[in-house]
Amino acid sequence: MASWAQFETQAPDLASVAARLWPGVVALHRGVAVPRDVPCFAVSYLATVRPDGGLRLHPFCPVLAGGRLFAAIPRPSPKGWDLRRDPRCVIHALPGPEDNEFCVRATASEVTGDLVARALVRTVVTASGVGGMIESVSHDPLFEFGLDQVDVARWLDIGQPGTCPTLTLGHAC
């Protein structure tokens, strides 16, 4: 398992894809201004394991802070209960303008009681000025994701005959 900072150091080519798909998230993490036409937080998908062993897919907003990947998950959300019971998960960014895919296999751990982690996340999110996210990271349970595997693919001719990946990279963390 690796932190986000370790991943960026070990696989800068893959991390650059994340920066293109999560531009606001990465800008906030780096302490730079989020471009005016870019949302501060990118909606991504989090796949978790339900109690019956089936899979569950949830939208969520990842947060990068202090070289670590986090999510604030409202207490009643089933994704939090899933992660507490079985920490294995997959995070998938929405494809970008060139149909880039960014997928992270991760292991989640609840860090709600870690005051340093909470302060890191709150500082980054407060810089966004997005009230709902500030409220969420201040009060909701906080999870950190250790990265196990990161995969990137770029597809050509999506939905057309001959659809194929032009680039597929993987990095075990």
Side-chain angles (χ1 to χ4, degrees):
M1 244 184 336
S3 69
W4 187 264
Q6 291 166 322
F7 160 66
E8 282 185 311
T9 299
Q10 295 169 1
D13 293 348
L14 275 66
S16 71
V17 174
R20 287 193 304 275
L21 297 176
W22 293 344
V25 174
V26 171
L28 289 168
H29 176 242
R30 292 180 179 159
V32 299
V34 176
R36 182 174 290 206
D37 60 339
V38 171
C40 291
F41 300 100
V43 174
S44 293
Y45 285 95
L46 175 65
T48 60
V49 182
R50 297 183 326 210
D52 66 3
L55 301 176
R56 190 186 324 256
L57 189 63
H58 321 262
F60 86 114
C61 293
V63 176
L64 292 172
R68 298 156 67 185
L69 179 59
F70 295 96
I73 299 176
R75 198 163 309 285
S77 171
K79 61 185 160 251
W81 297 110
D82 287 350
L83 292 173
R84 287 180 189 97
R85 191 189 59 267
D86 186 337
R88 296 174 300 160
C89 60
V90 174
I91 297 166
H92 200 289
L94 294 178
E98 296 178 357
D99 293 313
N100 286 316
E101 279 189 34
F102 182 75
C103 181
V104 178
R105 278 187 269 166
T107 303
S109 57
E110 186 169 2
V111 293
T112 300
D114 182 337
L115 299 179
V116 172
R118 177 77 73 184
L120 279 171
V121 172
R122 191 178 310 126
T123 298
V124 167
V125 173
T126 298
S128 75
V130 177
M133 283 294 289
I134 296 168
E135 182 70 20
S136 184
V137 301
S138 297
H139 302 291
D140 289 334
L142 187 64
F143 289 83
E144 181 174 2
F145 300 97
L147 285 60
D148 299 319
Q149 171 83 29
V150 178
D151 296 305
V152 169
R154 182 170 178 249
W155 294 84
L156 285 180
D157 301 323
I158 293 292
Q160 306 298 317
T163 297
C164 63
T166 60
L167 174 67
T168 304
L169 302 171
H171 180 74
C173 298

